[in-house]
Amino acid sequence: SALATARSHARLLVVYIPNKSKSKAAKSSNGIAETSLNSDEVARASNKPSRRKKGDTTSSTTNDFGSFVIWHPDSPTSSEAAAAVKRLRVKYPGKGRKSGGGGGGGAAAGPILLVAYVAQHPTMVDSSTGRPRLVPKVLAQHHCNPPPDAKSMSLWLNTLRKRHAKQYAAMQHHIREARLYTERVRGYASSQMDDENRQMKERQARAEAKAREEEEARRKEAMEQRRGGLVGSLPPEA
């Protein structure tokens, strides 16, 4: 899922849910947002290292981690879109507000565009994976009135990256700890295997040595028996 992908890559999650209205305004807003999300500017902002120490030019530490994972449903009317809205507890921009001027309530024309941090529940476990349950927490929602163009969206994402360094640090720390644990487990398993192989070789060497000793004992016994037979067959001395 998008939540697991974002968490496993230590990235914040960008959620885009198109407005399901068939109005021209909604279609126009959706088009602007989708063009921006598919732009090179936003791609660069998404893949930019989330944290980098001053003067650090290596690619082996924090530079391995990008900044954002982008998710959107196949359709704004799909069950996954409805589930995302419910789980994130968000509304379409402008929903329930009065339109400017006079008249009745204005229908929401903008899409949902937000950035969330995927936290791990401290006690609850996902029954399907056996791992801590992932809990998305909305950090910022864009007003989308109008939706940002590519440059504005990339600037917005860059601002959020800097603002939420603490969340990036927490995810990266968890990943590093998980890697160390995996390496320790593998090292322990490898050590156990090495010990088992060593013990097997030692048992094999002892068995081979014992077999050689028994073979040598049988050879000596056979020689003694032949020698005794030869001595017995000799004529007595005159």
Side-chain angles (χ1 to χ4, degrees), residues 74-187:
D74 293 333
S75 167
T77 58
S78 65
S79 59
E80 62 177 352
V85 170
K86 183 178 180 180
R87 187 168 187 179
L88 293 166
R89 299 178 182 178
V90 293
K91 296 180 179 180
Y92 285 95
K95 192 170 185 178
R97 300 176 185 173
K98 300 289 184 179
S99 60
I112 290 175
L113 179 64
L114 61 85
V115 172
Y117 165 62
V118 183
Q120 288 186 328
H121 197 283
T123 58
M124 298 184 70
V125 175
D126 189 328
S127 59
S128 63
T129 63
R131 297 178 179 178
R133 178 172 295 182
L134 299 177
V135 183
K137 297 183 178 181
V138 177
L139 300 176
Q141 181 175 359
H142 199 281
H143 57 76
C144 284
N145 186 26
D149 59 18
K151 182 178 180 180
S152 297
M153 188 179 290
S154 64
L155 290 173
W156 182 59
L157 294 178
N158 287 333
T159 298
L160 291 174
R161 178 195 303 108
K162 296 174 183 177
R163 183 181 300 168
H164 297 288
K166 182 178 179 181
Q167 282 79 6
Y168 283 117
M171 290 188 290
Q172 292 173 15
H173 174 75
H174 178 267
I175 289 177
R176 283 192 291 270
E177 287 297 312
R179 287 176 179 173
L180 288 173
Y181 174 76
T182 300
E183 289 174 1
R184 286 196 295 268
V185 170
R186 288 177 178 172

Side-chain angles (χ1 to χ4, degrees), residues 20 33 43 57 61 66 96 112 152 176 204 214 219:
K20 54 188 175 182
T57 58
T61 55
I112 290 175
S152 297
R176 283 192 291 270
Q204 185 176 356
E214 292 175 350
R219 187 183 67 80

Side-chain angles (χ1 to χ4, degrees), residues 3-121:
L3 296 179
T5 299
R7 182 74 195 190
S8 64
H9 289 82
R11 297 191 181 204
L12 297 181
L13 179 63
V14 177
V15 176
Y16 164 68
I17 304 176
N19 194 300
K20 54 188 175 182
S21 171
K22 296 182 179 180
S23 68
K24 289 183 178 180
K27 291 180 179 179
S28 175
S29 294
N30 290 344
I32 295 172
E34 290 165 13
T35 298
S36 299
L37 286 168
N38 292 318
S39 67
D40 291 338
E41 293 93 329
V42 169
R44 285 193 293 269
S46 298
N47 294 318
K48 186 175 181 180
S50 55
R51 297 175 64 237
R52 178 176 293 174
K53 295 180 181 180
K54 189 175 182 180
D56 180 14
T57 58
T58 66
S59 59
S60 59
T61 55
T62 58
N63 294 356
D64 290 338
F65 302 101
S67 297
F68 300 98
V69 169
I70 299 174
W71 176 86
H72 62 83
D74 293 333
S75 167
T77 58
S78 65
S79 59
E80 62 177 352
V85 170
K86 183 178 180 180
R87 187 168 187 179
L88 293 166
R89 299 178 182 178
V90 293
K91 296 180 179 180
Y92 285 95
K95 192 170 185 178
R97 300 176 185 173
K98 300 289 184 179
S99 60
I112 290 175
L113 179 64
L114 61 85
V115 172
Y117 165 62
V118 183
Q120 288 186 328
H121 197 283

Side-chain angles (χ1 to χ4, degrees), residues 190-201:
S190 177
S191 177
Q192 276 193 320
M193 186 175 294
D194 289 343
D195 288 343
E196 291 175 359
N197 289 337
R198 177 179 53 78
Q199 292 171 5
M200 183 177 67
K201 290 179 179 179

